[in-house]
Amino acid sequence: MFQFIKKKISYKIMFAMFLLMSISSVIVIYLTVSRIKKDNIETTQANLEMLSTSMFQTLRNAMNTGDPAIIAKVEQEEKSIEGVQNLQVAKGKPLLALYDPSKPFTTDKDILKAFQTKKAQILEITAKENHSLRMLKPMIASQECIACHYNQSVGDVIGVIDLTFSLKKSDEQLNTIIWDTLTSSTILGWFTIAIIFFIIRKITEPIEGLKKGFENLLASHDVHEELKLDVKTEDEIGQVSLLFNQYMDKLKEDLEADAQSYTNSIMNTQKNLILTSVNGVIETSNQAFLNFFNVKSVDEFKESYGYCVSDTFVPTDNDEYLNAKVDKQKWNEYIATHKEKLHKVLIKQNDVEHIFSVSGDKFLFLDHEIYTAAFSDITEVERIRKEVEAAHKHTRDSIEYASLIQNALIPLDGAMDPYFKDNFVLWMPKDTVGGDIWLFEDLRHEDECLMMFIDCTGHGVPGAFVTMIVKAVEREIVSIIKSNPNMEVSPAWILGYFNRTIKQLLRQETKDSISNAGFDGGIIYYNRQQQVLKFAGAETPLFYIDEDGELKIVKGNRYSVGYKKCAMDYEYKETILQVKEGMKFYCTTDGFLDQNGGTKDFPFGKKRFGNIIKANYTLPMKEQKEVFIKTMKEYESIMEENHDRNDDMTVIGFEIAAKSTNETKASKEIVKYEGVMTQNVIAMLMDNIEAKVEDVNLVGHISTIAIEYCQNMMHYAQSPDVDATEIVPAGEIEIQHMHQEYYEITARNVISKEGVLRVKPRLEEIQTLDHSEIKKRYRELRRSGKNTHQRGGGIGMYEIAKASTKIEYDFIQINENKYYFVMKSFIESKTKKSKKQNLE
């Protein structure tokens, strides 16, 4: 409220006047009412004194008669007088002894005081609803009283007249007077306020006009026409307004005189080309502009090139550069209204194209809308930028393709599902590619698997190169195990094999070796039928929850793998656990544990990792994965400097399922080929299929699918090089007999975007059909001859689907023009009576 009053002088004056009048009115009314009350009481007291004297004399005369009846009558008549509330005579002790000895003497202290002092008293009674005056008047015995009151002497107090007179009517009259006074004062006050308000408004109106004028000046951008105050009065305020207008006129004249020279001096200090234009016509420019176009003045530029600099723009359809008009706007209007963008133009001068970045603005000056523009020559900068972008794109595409290859090495989603009750995998490279890799392999039968989680030297591209070596060695290890059905799988032996092989491959047998790469990680072998889990770690622990819900940690070897410092013949140790259904295991590389964060920027550590497990192990694995992700995000983002991740991260969790009762059945590799596809390669594949496929009735189906896959690669497979566009008939084909239950035929190759558009609709249509509908559709295409000779996405896809029990496919984008195409066919073994559930 007080802030509102401070805003205007008129409000301050009115508030002060209102406050002053209110205070003075209250004081006047208070003094008036107090005076009226006092005068009323005094008048009433005087009247009461006269009334009491009269009543006293009458009562005394009655008492002199000695007749009780006369005395009682007089008392009753006096009580009936208007205003008399109470009238009684308090008799003295001698009088009571003489006439009424049984009646007690009064105990009223005010009456007793009257007996003692022999003086009259007037008391004001202000009890609720009883405002009155009480007069206590002693009756002093005279000579004539002694005749009847022989037991008293002259001067004694015979009794005290107690007279109470009500002031109710007087108060009502007083309240009426007070109310009338308040009403008239209020009306008079508001009338006075209205007059004051009117007078103040008239006084402050010129000030308001002056204030409004200054507000208009501040909001105005036109120094020529609107920069004047409206003068309405001839008083002091009007004179101030007039002086201000005179000052603005003088200021305008000075601006007009100095504007051109000032603008030119500023513009000529700039190396950029600077110009101003009005209505699309160039008006001024700096010397750099004139030098670039080899002219001496703006007029000469207009004669040689045109009235607008846009006449020199090289027309182009490239949205990267401006034309004379952009989106129906003139070029200078466009850049003035789109300042957040980078604007570029092409200008050809002396047969050389120059690239300029352009910035501009507009403003009102001396009744004109002026556009300014500054041209910066960025020709050399653009050339360097394009070279850098091209190099960056080539590098980025290569890294993205490398990421595709690395992702292809990572097991597919669901790879662990057949072995464990529940599981999750959190694999987060720090960069596009990383040094963390996890691998999962089916071994010799459906209840035997091998898992590896490995943190290779470094991260990014260097780390990714080492993961390629790890994957190659891992394939060699798996091949050795699969080819030896009676071999006891030992994670410790596997770490040792990795150690020896990496040191040999990278020539790290001596301390003088240039290379020094290796890894830390863990190897897990699991046999679901035997409920045995073996673990060997290299600088890496294994966390698990036992059957009692207690967190346990299996320590790994305090020894890495493959580095120069690692001895060639080092023997790693392993731990063998007899597991039970419901036990939960957690593996992690050091990227998660070593990530800095928190308020003190400490590593996350094993303790926090274990606390996450203890607090959440009862949740489904999918939800536990989200908890790990959320917790790490919160931890690493507490301090701003912790936003960057230190290393790649891998966390894997799995829950032990019930003991398997399946018979042990090994998987068998029929054929695997990677490279250029030729007719000779197809013939070799057919020989292997015929020799290794035990189900004679399925040889034809498997051969048909393999031939179609190979021919498709020959027709539309693209070079894996990201910049190449030629067709390269190359890819990968793999045929496996999985656990003696079904055959899996997998084809992998690079395909163009156009190839995806041809193939994908066919596959999507096939996925909507059942097996009988696929056969029907195939026969229709054969009879019509439609798509029978189409390369990719033709009738061959229906032939593959017809020969398969089930198909799967995926397109993984490499860049805007290339995709990685993976397609799988599954065929049930004829020796199985019911296989459908194995493929679903």
Side-chain angles (χ1 to χ4, degrees), residues 499-515 562-568:
N499 185 48
R500 293 187 297 274
T501 307
I502 290 175
K503 288 178 72 67
Q504 290 169 355
L505 287 173
L506 299 179
R507 299 175 183 177
Q508 297 176 170
E509 296 96 332
T510 67
K511 294 182 179 180
D512 298 329
S513 300
I514 298 174
S515 172
Y563 293 100
K564 289 193 296 184
K565 68 178 182 179
C566 299
M568 185 76 77

Side-chain angles (χ1 to χ4, degrees), residues 25 106 141 355 374 434 450-451 498 520 716 732 743 762 778:
S25 297
T106 183
I355 303 174
L450 189 67
M451 180 197 300
F498 267 119
D520 296 339
Y716 60 77
E732 179 184 349
Y743 289 88
R762 298 292 181 194
Y778 174 76

